[in-house]
Amino acid sequence: MDGPAGIGQRIVAAIRQRIETGLDGPGTAMPSTRALAAEWGVSRTTVTAAYDQLIAEGYLEVRQGARARVAPGLGRGKAGPPAPPPATARLSGFGQRLAALPPLPAAGMDGLLADFRYGELAARDFPRMAWRQAVTAALLRPPGVLRYGDPAGSLRLRAALQGYLWRARGLRCTAEQIIIVNGSQQGIDLVARLLLDPGETVLMEDPGYALARHVFAALGAAVRPVTVDGEGMRTADLPPARLAYTTPSHQYPLGAVLSATRRRELLAWAARAGAHVIEDDYDSEYRYDIAPVPPLQAMDAPGDEAGRVLYLGTASKTLSPTLRLGWLVVPPGLADAFARAKRLADRHAPWLEQEALAALIEDGAYERHIRRARRLNADRRAALLAALSRHLGDSVMVEGAEAGLHVLAWLLDVPAGREAALVAAGRAAGIGLHPVTPLYAEGVPGRVGLVMGYAGLEVAAIERGVGVLAGVVRAVV
Amino acid sequence: MDGPAGIGQRIVAAIRQRIETGLDGPGTAMPSTRALAAEWGVSRTTVTAAYDQLIAEGYLEVRQGARARVAPGLGRGKAGPPAPPPATARLSGFGQRLAALPPLPAAGMDGLLADFRYGELAARDFPRMAWRQAVTAALLRPPGVLRYGDPAGSLRLRAALQGYLWRARGLRCTAEQIIIVNGSQQGIDLVARLLLDPGETVLMEDPGYALARHVFAALGAAVRPVTVDGEGMRTADLPPARLAYTTPSHQYPLGAVLSATRRRELLAWAARAGAHVIEDDYDSEYRYDIAPVPPLQAMDAPGDEAGRVLYLGTASKTLSPTLRLGWLVVPPGLADAFARAKRLADRHAPWLEQEALAALIEDGAYERHIRRARRLNADRRAALLAALSRHLGDSVMVEGAEAGLHVLAWLLDVPAGREAALVAAGRAAGIGLHPVTPLYAEGVPGRVGLVMGYAGLEVAAIERGVGVLAGVVRAVV
């Protein structure tokens, strides 16, 4: 700060402060450049530059040939009455509803022997080499001009996904029906904003994905819980609504596959009610004993303007939740509305991740990786199921193990009232336990169930963790 | 598709189709596994697997020891009355307002001699080596577990930004006040959702950034235009409102610096009205003749609960618009609400870009890059101003050239009615021209002004483009 530029800035700051504090009031003439230059021991050029900056900032004014003066309206106490005492900011209805929602569980933490938190993936599963190559290749071949991209996502990625969704899920759509979103969370948010007005009804699986329910509740919609049983969401006698949220391939968290009868009932209801259905296909890549169940979207009218299903896929369970990459497949008549909403929300998804995922899909690396991840997670699942059976025997009942990356373990011997004690004792013993209770909107079950994710854990940690769990269960019963 | 798995899937598909089309109604018994195995020439294991899958999908049911049957409620016409004729989907109020907004200009295109579209950057300015190193380093040191991150953004990046904002902008805040967003667009959207209810008033610079106005209008707010002159937004006698949007460092698009008097007036108004002010500091890194003007946020009560300014910065003008990285600095009392809203919107910003930017800021590469980009853009700007003067002389009046990456060029000889002809003739001659008119909400100027961005163009293209522009002007006058 001691070259000419530094001194110039000190002059600017000094004059600014005199004005700010009211020492030099509005209209006060500044010293001539010659006088000020002498005073500071700098050239007149430096002083002129300082005055120019203060003029640009509006502190000073100058008329042709005259000396610079403090601008009218400046100086202490000139800008209206003093500010009122600090008040907390008033939030919008959305903000207030959001603040009133129950807090979500804290983020995962390191240092536990085994944290059975759902949604985490082992970093060593990540296809690091393939991803790095794809990222490097993208960075080496940038477009000539960096500009905002297509709000719906890069056409290259959408074309690659179109093929992938057909191969992997039997899902038929055009690239124009695909909107690249920042993970399924943004997909749910965009659907809610575009199709749901405050006060309108949305049907939500109960128990179900809490952050979807929060989106609807924060928007001011009436969230109506729909009971889930062994065949998934109960679709008989659904009330009129604008929207329904469902996880038909593997109900989250209970794990049922929505039966074909209910799929038809749900689609017929949507057609009658003029409603839409969000199909959150969050983990369908993982299926262990049977082939993947086709998506609800494939039973709908794919490509038809009257399509009712908004299909949602994600890379959060196949690659990483930190990528923030997902895809919405919408009926053709809604594609433009979604592209507009995405542009308004954040212009478009980041370019680099889109390019890298497109490259991985194009050269088959994505599907090879999924096959590998499926094998790794099949091992983890087998270890979890075996350990639960070995350590807890008849006192545990497991649901939803056929697919996905979590199971629901009902601890039949633990009284419902001891749930908090169980979690605390588990934490003290080094394991993270996550009860299903917070995922219920109503009708909390009278027993203790744990959502046990295993994709972030090694087999050894799973086995040790379940051993610790068995001890903790005995201690709190 | 011709291994055992392939044939199994063909069996599944065949049975599914018989049920779907009503050939096999509810309750129809399936052939024994032995019979079907003989019919298809496969093992009984393959048939059993196919039946299992159809059971999981809900097409078939089976009771202990009995043959598989089509599930009750399945078959043609069983799922309620036929769907009504296709109807266009009914959008929410948000969706309808969004659809009614004027379309935005189409995305930029290649192949023009010179496109003066604002917001584009030359790819060769991008610090490709430094970015690639930072990205590779991040990919080589992933966390042990891949999990959702902090909704407000990585603490590493927020700490780096805190230092950067202080050094570069004299902006004081804690890391907790910073929320990493997907570019300033998402920042504006989050502010609007959290602080503005439908029907409430928001003040918007006029002319101003169209996508901000669209956010407010789509939300259902009453957008009140505030005239802009040579000192920026006119802040005397502002009406009551909940929110104001302003670009004080370099008004977009006219280029004025908001004067110190007006800054004070605006803050005093916000305190009186209990309103907040979005300070969109979108291009303050670029300033050519004078030092950067301190942000409005620094005149507010930084760190105070009663702070009124929501400061918004972006990497879209320094690195690339394709990264989708920006930052909001909010008063401490609002930080939690913003983190919650960000989590609801899309969980958090992508990890890789956050890590890479943090690394660039930490080792000084970001600020070195900005200095380089400033020099490159100073050259482009000088070329543009010289060419405009040389080719158009007194028939052009340039505003807002002191800062940023665009100027406003008023074409004094072109009648307002010839604007569309000018753009069309420009396009035909190979140059992209972008009138300021669409940025006005009311009071469209009676003359033709062009927003001329230059950061995506090389000096030679700028000079040729202006030469072509001069010819086009002569042709349409």
Side-chain angles (χ1 to χ4, degrees), chain A residues 256-282:
Chain A
V257 178
L258 191 66
S259 70
T261 312
R262 291 194 179 174
R263 283 165 193 255
R264 300 189 146 210
E265 270 181 356
L266 184 59
L267 291 175
W269 165 84
R272 280 198 309 279
H276 284 90
V277 177
I278 299 179
E279 175 178 27
D280 191 349
D281 202 39
Y282 66 106

mmCIF file of all heavy atoms in Angstrom, chain A residues 256-282:
data_model
loop_
_atom_site.group_PDB
_atom_site.id
_atom_site.type_symbol
_atom_site.label_atom_id
_atom_site.label_comp_id
_atom_site.label_asym_id
_atom_site.label_seq_id
_atom_site.Cartn_x
_atom_site.Cartn_y
_atom_site.Cartn_z
ATOM 1 N N ALA A 256 -41.147 -51.713 0.186
ATOM 2 C CA ALA A 256 -42.054 -52.505 -0.646
ATOM 3 C C ALA A 256 -41.960 -52.078 -2.110
ATOM 4 O O ALA A 256 -41.599 -50.942 -2.418
ATOM 5 C CB ALA A 256 -43.481 -52.338 -0.164
ATOM 6 N N VAL A 257 -42.296 -53.006 -3.018
ATOM 7 C CA VAL A 257 -42.449 -52.678 -4.439
ATOM 8 C C VAL A 257 -43.932 -52.405 -4.673
ATOM 9 O O VAL A 257 -44.778 -53.223 -4.290
ATOM 10 C CB VAL A 257 -41.989 -53.850 -5.314
ATOM 11 C CG1 VAL A 257 -42.202 -53.526 -6.790
ATOM 12 C CG2 VAL A 257 -40.528 -54.170 -5.045
ATOM 13 N N LEU A 258 -44.247 -51.290 -5.272
ATOM 14 C CA LEU A 258 -45.648 -50.980 -5.532
ATOM 15 C C LEU A 258 -46.205 -52.017 -6.500
ATOM 16 O O LEU A 258 -45.664 -52.213 -7.591
ATOM 17 C CB LEU A 258 -45.785 -49.565 -6.114
ATOM 18 C CG LEU A 258 -47.201 -49.011 -6.195
ATOM 19 C CD1 LEU A 258 -47.803 -48.804 -4.807
ATOM 20 C CD2 LEU A 258 -47.229 -47.698 -6.974
ATOM 21 N N SER A 259 -47.289 -52.676 -6.106
ATOM 22 C CA SER A 259 -47.804 -53.777 -6.913
ATOM 23 C C SER A 259 -48.420 -53.250 -8.209
ATOM 24 O O SER A 259 -48.773 -52.077 -8.320
ATOM 25 C CB SER A 259 -48.855 -54.549 -6.124
ATOM 26 O OG SER A 259 -50.017 -53.767 -5.981
ATOM 27 N N ALA A 260 -48.522 -54.136 -9.188
ATOM 28 C CA ALA A 260 -49.047 -53.739 -10.494
ATOM 29 C C ALA A 260 -50.474 -53.215 -10.377
ATOM 30 O O ALA A 260 -50.845 -52.235 -11.020
ATOM 31 C CB ALA A 260 -48.982 -54.918 -11.456
ATOM 32 N N THR A 261 -51.290 -53.868 -9.551
ATOM 33 C CA THR A 261 -52.657 -53.397 -9.345
ATOM 34 C C THR A 261 -52.656 -51.955 -8.862
ATOM 35 O O THR A 261 -53.398 -51.107 -9.363
ATOM 36 C CB THR A 261 -53.357 -54.254 -8.264
ATOM 37 O OG1 THR A 261 -53.140 -55.621 -8.571
ATOM 38 C CG2 THR A 261 -54.831 -53.946 -8.226
ATOM 39 N N ARG A 262 -51.825 -51.698 -7.907
ATOM 40 C CA ARG A 262 -51.797 -50.344 -7.335
ATOM 41 C C ARG A 262 -51.210 -49.333 -8.309
ATOM 42 O O ARG A 262 -51.617 -48.175 -8.333
ATOM 43 C CB ARG A 262 -50.996 -50.371 -6.035
ATOM 44 C CG ARG A 262 -51.740 -51.139 -4.960
ATOM 45 C CD ARG A 262 -51.152 -50.899 -3.608
ATOM 46 N NE ARG A 262 -51.905 -51.624 -2.595
ATOM 47 C CZ ARG A 262 -51.540 -51.693 -1.320
ATOM 48 N NH1 ARG A 262 -50.451 -51.065 -0.914
ATOM 49 N NH2 ARG A 262 -52.270 -52.362 -0.463
ATOM 50 N N ARG A 263 -50.269 -49.773 -9.128
ATOM 51 C CA ARG A 263 -49.747 -48.854 -10.146
ATOM 52 C C ARG A 263 -50.874 -48.390 -11.053
ATOM 53 O O ARG A 263 -51.005 -47.197 -11.362
ATOM 54 C CB ARG A 263 -48.666 -49.542 -10.989
ATOM 55 C CG ARG A 263 -47.341 -49.628 -10.255
ATOM 56 C CD ARG A 263 -46.376 -50.612 -10.893
ATOM 57 N NE ARG A 263 -45.292 -50.848 -9.963
ATOM 58 C CZ ARG A 263 -44.068 -50.336 -10.095
ATOM 59 N NH1 ARG A 263 -43.757 -49.648 -11.165
ATOM 60 N NH2 ARG A 263 -43.160 -50.540 -9.178
ATOM 61 N N ARG A 264 -51.696 -49.360 -11.462
ATOM 62 C CA ARG A 264 -52.817 -49.003 -12.338
ATOM 63 C C ARG A 264 -53.817 -48.130 -11.629
ATOM 64 O O ARG A 264 -54.357 -47.185 -12.211
ATOM 65 C CB ARG A 264 -53.527 -50.266 -12.782
ATOM 66 C CG ARG A 264 -52.604 -51.177 -13.524
ATOM 67 C CD ARG A 264 -53.437 -52.254 -14.088
ATOM 68 N NE ARG A 264 -52.866 -52.633 -15.333
ATOM 69 C CZ ARG A 264 -53.556 -53.101 -16.343
ATOM 70 N NH1 ARG A 264 -54.865 -53.243 -16.241
ATOM 71 N NH2 ARG A 264 -52.965 -53.426 -17.450
ATOM 72 N N GLU A 265 -54.101 -48.472 -10.396
ATOM 73 C CA GLU A 265 -55.043 -47.643 -9.628
ATOM 74 C C GLU A 265 -54.536 -46.212 -9.503
ATOM 75 O O GLU A 265 -55.296 -45.251 -9.642
ATOM 76 C CB GLU A 265 -55.226 -48.240 -8.217
ATOM 77 C CG GLU A 265 -56.353 -49.251 -8.139
ATOM 78 C CD GLU A 265 -56.532 -49.805 -6.723
ATOM 79 O OE1 GLU A 265 -55.732 -49.460 -5.823
ATOM 80 O OE2 GLU A 265 -57.469 -50.601 -6.538
ATOM 81 N N LEU A 266 -53.239 -46.106 -9.247
ATOM 82 C CA LEU A 266 -52.659 -44.774 -9.067
ATOM 83 C C LEU A 266 -52.751 -43.963 -10.358
ATOM 84 O O LEU A 266 -53.137 -42.784 -10.346
ATOM 85 C CB LEU A 266 -51.198 -44.918 -8.614
ATOM 86 C CG LEU A 266 -50.444 -43.637 -8.287
ATOM 87 C CD1 LEU A 266 -51.129 -42.863 -7.167
ATOM 88 C CD2 LEU A 266 -48.991 -43.950 -7.894
ATOM 89 N N LEU A 267 -52.422 -44.604 -11.491
ATOM 90 C CA LEU A 267 -52.489 -43.887 -12.772
ATOM 91 C C LEU A 267 -53.924 -43.534 -13.133
ATOM 92 O O LEU A 267 -54.188 -42.455 -13.668
ATOM 93 C CB LEU A 267 -51.829 -44.718 -13.880
ATOM 94 C CG LEU A 267 -50.311 -44.870 -13.753
ATOM 95 C CD1 LEU A 267 -49.782 -45.807 -14.835
ATOM 96 C CD2 LEU A 267 -49.623 -43.505 -13.835
ATOM 97 N N ALA A 268 -54.854 -44.454 -12.846
ATOM 98 C CA ALA A 268 -56.259 -44.169 -13.148
ATOM 99 C C ALA A 268 -56.754 -43.012 -12.283
ATOM 100 O O ALA A 268 -57.476 -42.124 -12.752
ATOM 101 C CB ALA A 268 -57.107 -45.421 -12.902
ATOM 102 N N TRP A 269 -56.350 -43.024 -11.019
ATOM 103 C CA TRP A 269 -56.705 -41.910 -10.131
ATOM 104 C C TRP A 269 -56.174 -40.589 -10.670
ATOM 105 O O TRP A 269 -56.884 -39.583 -10.714
ATOM 106 C CB TRP A 269 -56.147 -42.175 -8.719
ATOM 107 C CG TRP A 269 -56.139 -40.959 -7.861
ATOM 108 C CD1 TRP A 269 -57.165 -40.448 -7.117
ATOM 109 C CD2 TRP A 269 -55.038 -40.037 -7.683
ATOM 110 N NE1 TRP A 269 -56.782 -39.292 -6.486
ATOM 111 C CE2 TRP A 269 -55.482 -39.020 -6.826
ATOM 112 C CE3 TRP A 269 -53.728 -39.988 -8.174
ATOM 113 C CZ2 TRP A 269 -54.660 -37.947 -6.441
ATOM 114 C CZ3 TRP A 269 -52.910 -38.927 -7.793
ATOM 115 C CH2 TRP A 269 -53.372 -37.927 -6.935
ATOM 116 N N ALA A 270 -54.902 -40.611 -11.106
ATOM 117 C CA ALA A 270 -54.292 -39.375 -11.607
ATOM 118 C C ALA A 270 -55.044 -38.855 -12.827
ATOM 119 O O ALA A 270 -55.290 -37.656 -12.962
ATOM 120 C CB ALA A 270 -52.818 -39.612 -11.942
ATOM 121 N N ALA A 271 -55.438 -39.773 -13.716
ATOM 122 C CA ALA A 271 -56.165 -39.369 -14.916
ATOM 123 C C ALA A 271 -57.527 -38.772 -14.533
ATOM 124 O O ALA A 271 -57.942 -37.743 -15.060
ATOM 125 C CB ALA A 271 -56.343 -40.562 -15.853
ATOM 126 N N ARG A 272 -58.232 -39.447 -13.607
ATOM 127 C CA ARG A 272 -59.533 -38.941 -13.156
ATOM 128 C C ARG A 272 -59.409 -37.588 -12.478
ATOM 129 O O ARG A 272 -60.180 -36.673 -12.740
ATOM 130 C CB ARG A 272 -60.172 -39.911 -12.139
ATOM 131 C CG ARG A 272 -60.848 -41.122 -12.710
ATOM 132 C CD ARG A 272 -61.794 -41.752 -11.695
ATOM 133 N NE ARG A 272 -61.211 -42.022 -10.382
ATOM 134 C CZ ARG A 272 -60.464 -43.086 -10.088
ATOM 135 N NH1 ARG A 272 -60.212 -43.983 -11.032
ATOM 136 N NH2 ARG A 272 -59.984 -43.256 -8.885
ATOM 137 N N ALA A 273 -58.422 -37.491 -11.590
ATOM 138 C CA ALA A 273 -58.297 -36.283 -10.765
ATOM 139 C C ALA A 273 -57.608 -35.144 -11.516
ATOM 140 O O ALA A 273 -57.581 -34.011 -11.039
ATOM 141 C CB ALA A 273 -57.521 -36.620 -9.486
ATOM 142 N N GLY A 274 -57.059 -35.439 -12.700
ATOM 143 C CA GLY A 274 -56.247 -34.414 -13.366
ATOM 144 C C GLY A 274 -54.995 -34.112 -12.565
ATOM 145 O O GLY A 274 -54.492 -32.994 -12.569
ATOM 146 N N ALA A 275 -54.515 -35.125 -11.865
ATOM 147 C CA ALA A 275 -53.345 -34.942 -10.993
ATOM 148 C C ALA A 275 -52.085 -35.471 -11.660
ATOM 149 O O ALA A 275 -52.151 -36.176 -12.667
ATOM 150 C CB ALA A 275 -53.573 -35.662 -9.668
ATOM 151 N N HIS A 276 -50.944 -35.121 -11.109
ATOM 152 C CA HIS A 276 -49.675 -35.675 -11.542
ATOM 153 C C HIS A 276 -49.072 -36.527 -10.437
ATOM 154 O O HIS A 276 -49.414 -36.379 -9.265
ATOM 155 C CB HIS A 276 -48.704 -34.566 -11.945
ATOM 156 C CG HIS A 276 -49.029 -33.966 -13.277
ATOM 157 N ND1 HIS A 276 -49.868 -32.883 -13.417
ATOM 158 C CD2 HIS A 276 -48.658 -34.316 -14.528
ATOM 159 C CE1 HIS A 276 -49.987 -32.589 -14.701
ATOM 160 N NE2 HIS A 276 -49.262 -33.442 -15.400
ATOM 161 N N VAL A 277 -48.176 -37.413 -10.852
ATOM 162 C CA VAL A 277 -47.522 -38.310 -9.909
ATOM 163 C C VAL A 277 -46.014 -38.145 -10.044
ATOM 164 O O VAL A 277 -45.469 -38.255 -11.150
ATOM 165 C CB VAL A 277 -47.901 -39.780 -10.199
ATOM 166 C CG1 VAL A 277 -47.163 -40.716 -9.253
ATOM 167 C CG2 VAL A 277 -49.405 -39.980 -10.098
ATOM 168 N N ILE A 278 -45.353 -37.846 -8.935
ATOM 169 C CA ILE A 278 -43.885 -37.869 -8.924
ATOM 170 C C ILE A 278 -43.441 -39.289 -8.640
ATOM 171 O O ILE A 278 -43.777 -39.847 -7.602
ATOM 172 C CB ILE A 278 -43.301 -36.950 -7.832
ATOM 173 C CG1 ILE A 278 -43.700 -35.498 -8.053
ATOM 174 C CG2 ILE A 278 -41.776 -37.089 -7.778
ATOM 175 C CD1 ILE A 278 -43.172 -34.551 -6.976
ATOM 176 N N GLU A 279 -42.740 -39.886 -9.585
ATOM 177 C CA GLU A 279 -42.146 -41.204 -9.369
ATOM 178 C C GLU A 279 -40.677 -41.005 -9.019
ATOM 179 O O GLU A 279 -39.853 -40.762 -9.900
ATOM 180 C CB GLU A 279 -42.268 -42.061 -10.640
ATOM 181 C CG GLU A 279 -41.552 -43.400 -10.478
ATOM 182 C CD GLU A 279 -41.693 -44.308 -11.687
ATOM 183 O OE1 GLU A 279 -41.870 -43.794 -12.814
ATOM 184 O OE2 GLU A 279 -41.641 -45.543 -11.492
ATOM 185 N N ASP A 280 -40.361 -41.113 -7.743
ATOM 186 C CA ASP A 280 -38.977 -40.911 -7.310
ATOM 187 C C ASP A 280 -38.273 -42.264 -7.359
ATOM 188 O O ASP A 280 -38.400 -43.087 -6.465
ATOM 189 C CB ASP A 280 -38.963 -40.309 -5.905
ATOM 190 C CG ASP A 280 -37.566 -39.823 -5.507
ATOM 191 O OD1 ASP A 280 -36.602 -40.149 -6.223
ATOM 192 O OD2 ASP A 280 -37.444 -39.120 -4.494
ATOM 193 N N ASP A 281 -37.521 -42.450 -8.431
ATOM 194 C CA ASP A 281 -36.858 -43.739 -8.694
ATOM 195 C C ASP A 281 -35.433 -43.669 -8.149
ATOM 196 O O ASP A 281 -34.467 -43.790 -8.881
ATOM 197 C CB ASP A 281 -36.857 -43.955 -10.213
ATOM 198 C CG ASP A 281 -36.699 -45.425 -10.591
ATOM 199 O OD1 ASP A 281 -37.281 -46.275 -9.911
ATOM 200 O OD2 ASP A 281 -35.992 -45.696 -11.572
ATOM 201 N N TYR A 282 -35.344 -43.497 -6.852
ATOM 202 C CA TYR A 282 -34.095 -43.036 -6.239
ATOM 203 C C TYR A 282 -33.012 -44.111 -6.138
ATOM 204 O O TYR A 282 -31.847 -43.788 -6.004
ATOM 205 C CB TYR A 282 -34.380 -42.448 -4.857
ATOM 206 C CG TYR A 282 -34.863 -43.484 -3.869
ATOM 207 C CD1 TYR A 282 -34.053 -43.951 -2.858
ATOM 208 C CD2 TYR A 282 -36.142 -44.020 -3.978
ATOM 209 C CE1 TYR A 282 -34.490 -44.915 -1.974
ATOM 210 C CE2 TYR A 282 -36.587 -44.992 -3.104
ATOM 211 C CZ TYR A 282 -35.753 -45.432 -2.102
ATOM 212 O OH TYR A 282 -36.187 -46.397 -1.247
#
